Amino acid sequence: MNDDTGVVSPGTEPARPSPDHEHAMRLYGPEIAREPEALYEEMRRRFGPVAPVLLDGDVPAWFVLGYRELHHVTRSPERFARDCRRWNLWESVDDDWPLMPYVMWTPSVTFTEGAEHRRRIDAVGDALGAVHRADLNALCRQVSDMLVDRFSGDGRADLIDRYAHRIPAEVVARLYGIPEQEVPDLVQDVLVSLDVTPEAPRAHRRLRERMVRMVMERRADPRNDVPSRLLAHEAELTDEEAVVDLLVVLTAAQAPTGDWIGNTLRLMLLDGDFSLTLRGGRGSVGEALNEVLWKDTPTQNIIGRWAVQACELGGRRIERGDLLVLGPAAAHRDPRLETGEPHVHTTNRAQMSFGAGEHGCPFPAPMIAETIARVAVETLLDRLPDVRLAVPSEELRRRPSVWMRGLHELPVLFSPTGR
């Protein structure tokens, strides 16, 4: 063990599972993914704000589903840290464990802590922060219009595959200064790399190779783009650090933002409260986006944090090295948050979808994601004002994931327009 960091070498401190895990609930399986709200309610009833759970393969962990407790964990890095090498169960999981990509250490900003994390996250934030909001709005509109042009004359489309899931990667690719002709292949690799399929590792390798080439090119020939600003930052990132952090930004932007767009479009197509926007108004788009983060957040659950020392949390004894799964979707439904106000979820921005504390999404990442999502929704409704669902709402299927909440498809009909 390293006394300065508290990081535990694999196998040096065997886990002692809590007696609570004898009665733990499974946090995996298609049934749970289909009805997460019922799962969270049952967990809260049985265990309170911190529940013992079993991850895929019956690996024990703690699930933080209370809003106050989640806020405490994310704001207390001295107690609940991000370096996964602290885990006391490394000796118990195989290399091919399905969740290994979520817990396997890499030299990215994701697993750094303290001063090293501040060095890395400041560089990422400053590189993104140099993007002017007006330029970002224009870029998002350009990308959204381009994608709508591809299907606007058809009278029908799947808004997930052809629109929502493509916009974030298309926008980030342009912020990275990737040549136009390379963007389609890069976007496809981003989408494939986030699936649980045999092709996913190969897509991830291609993305990494692309980032390596980009870093080498920007070292030799800096430009006015995110990678060049990252490399020129006073933090003096190494090439490897720049490669992995550019990958983190690219992949982290795609899935949550794409599902945010898709879930918001679903809400606006189903909910009469937002019919004004469907008739061409603008006022409720932001409210719809915020309501989705509260009630249908794309980031359902997050792995995670690791206990630096034994402690108490939500009435549970957490041992050193225990894994905590953060549950923003469950926390947003904490009964202790109920105020009785009818529109609290459209105006209150205290949701935890972007995390909090030093490992929350760094400014301006939430602003960039919100801009991409807002412009995507506004553009679609402007261009296709009579858009409507092509199937009954009960036929819309969610992807079977405990971690992300999004739609398989969002088929719609509309009056064809000229491209």
Side-chain angles (χ1 to χ4, degrees):
M1 180 183 66
N2 183 318
D3 292 334
D4 293 330
T5 65
V7 175
V8 178
S9 300
T12 60
E13 291 193 3
R16 300 176 179 84
S18 165
D20 291 342
H21 281 91
E22 295 178 6
H23 310 287
M25 297 178 66
R26 287 183 171 85
L27 193 65
Y28 65 91
E31 296 81 10
I32 291 174
R34 280 195 293 269
E35 297 291 340
E37 296 87 354
L39 170 70
Y40 304 148
E41 184 177 346
E42 176 65 10
M43 282 186 177
R44 206 183 315 271
R45 184 187 67 80
R46 289 178 57 181
F47 301 109
V50 178
V53 294
L54 299 175
L55 303 181
D56 208 323
D58 288 349
V59 174
W62 296 102
F63 184 51
V64 185
L65 64 159
Y67 182 90
R68 295 174 187 169
E69 290 72 19
L70 181 60
H71 195 274
H72 174 67
V73 168
T74 56
R75 296 285 186 178
S76 304
E78 72 283 357
R79 296 182 180 182
F80 306 101
R82 193 66 184 90
D83 194 319
C84 59
R85 292 172 293 183
R86 286 185 170 84
W87 198 17
N88 55 22
L89 279 181
W90 274 117
E91 64 180 12
S92 304
V93 296
D94 296 329
D95 290 343
D96 60 353
W97 186 46
L99 297 181
M100 187 59 73
Y102 293 88
V103 300
M104 182 174 61
W105 186 86
T106 65
S108 75
V109 65
T110 304
F111 293 115
T112 54
E113 297 175 357
E116 174 62 12
H117 181 71
R118 289 190 292 274
R119 180 180 76 91
R120 302 280 289 279
I121 207 67
D122 286 351
V124 171
D126 290 347
L128 293 173
V131 179
H132 296 294
R133 187 170 298 210
D135 294 338
L136 179 63
N137 271 278
L139 174 59
C140 293
R141 180 74 192 208
Q142 175 190 351
V143 169
S144 299
D145 275 329
M146 175 193 71
L147 293 174
V148 173
D149 285 344
R150 293 176 182 175
F151 58 76
S152 61
D154 300 339
R156 63 171 57 240
D158 169 19
L159 294 183
I160 300 301
D161 179 60
R162 302 192 67 181
Y163 193 66
H165 274 188
R166 297 194 173 271
I167 291 175
E170 293 268 3
V171 170
V172 174
R174 286 160 175 77
L175 294 178
Y176 278 17
I178 294 174
E180 187 76 23
Q181 65 273 17
E182 296 182 21
V183 170
D185 286 344
L186 178 131
V187 170
Q188 188 61 28
D189 277 342
V190 170
L191 296 174
V192 173
S193 72
L194 298 170
D195 289 336
V196 184
T197 67
E199 182 60 25
R202 290 188 286 271
H204 186 271
R205 283 195 296 272
R206 289 192 295 270
L207 286 172
R208 180 182 173 81
E209 290 167 0
R210 184 67 188 86
M211 294 302 108
V212 169
R213 292 196 304 272
M214 177 186 299
V215 166
M216 293 176 62
E217 292 167 0
R218 297 304 189 274
R219 285 287 191 199
D221 181 22
R223 307 175 190 176
N224 182 23
D225 56 26
V226 169
S228 298
R229 290 192 292 271
L230 188 66
L231 291 169
H233 196 272
E234 63 183 6
E236 297 183 340
L237 270 62
T238 66
D239 287 357
E240 176 63 15
E241 289 172 341
V243 165
V244 293
D245 289 354
L246 287 169
L247 266 176
V248 165
V249 172
L250 179 62
T251 56
Q254 195 281 325
T257 310
D259 282 337
W260 192 11
I261 295 168
N263 292 353
T264 302
L265 289 171
R266 171 188 173 275
L267 171 67
M268 300 184 79
L269 290 168
L270 292 177
D271 195 326
D273 288 346
F274 296 107
S275 60
L276 174 63
T277 299
L278 294 176
R279 292 197 299 269
R282 295 292 184 98
S284 61
V285 171
E287 294 176 355
L289 288 166
N290 199 50
E291 179 161 330
V292 165
L293 291 182
W294 275 107
K295 296 183 176 180
D296 198 20
T297 182
T299 307
Q300 291 279 296
N301 303 305
I302 307 165
I303 297 179
R305 298 291 189 275
W306 284 265
V308 176
Q309 299 291 345
C311 62
E312 296 287 329
L313 180 68
R316 302 289 167 186
R317 170 73 175 180
I318 310 297
E319 297 296 338
R320 179 181 189 174
D322 279 0
L323 167 62
L324 282 74
V325 176
L326 311 184
H332 292 169
R333 295 177 178 273
D334 191 328
R336 295 174 292 180
L337 294 179
E338 292 299 326
T339 66
E341 298 179 21
H343 302 295
V344 65
H345 291 124
T346 62
T347 57
N348 186 339
R349 293 185 173 269
Q351 41 74 23
M352 299 286 287
S353 294
F354 293 107
E358 71 173 31
H359 276 280
C361 289
F363 180 84
M367 180 276 291
I368 292 175
E370 190 276 336
T371 300
I372 294 172
R374 175 181 51 78
V375 173
V377 173
E378 289 179 353
T379 300
L380 184 89
L381 299 177
D382 284 347
R383 295 285 305 275
L384 308 174
D386 66 345
V387 65
R388 59 200 182 276
L389 281 176
V391 298
S393 60
E394 57 270 18
E395 292 185 14
L396 297 177
R397 296 179 300 123
R398 300 281 190 175
R399 295 197 310 279
S401 172
V402 175
W403 311 105
M404 299 297 297
R405 186 161 175 82
L407 294 164
H408 268 295
E409 300 172 330
L410 187 59
V412 295
L413 301 171
F414 49 85
S415 299
T417 63
R419 289 188 169 91

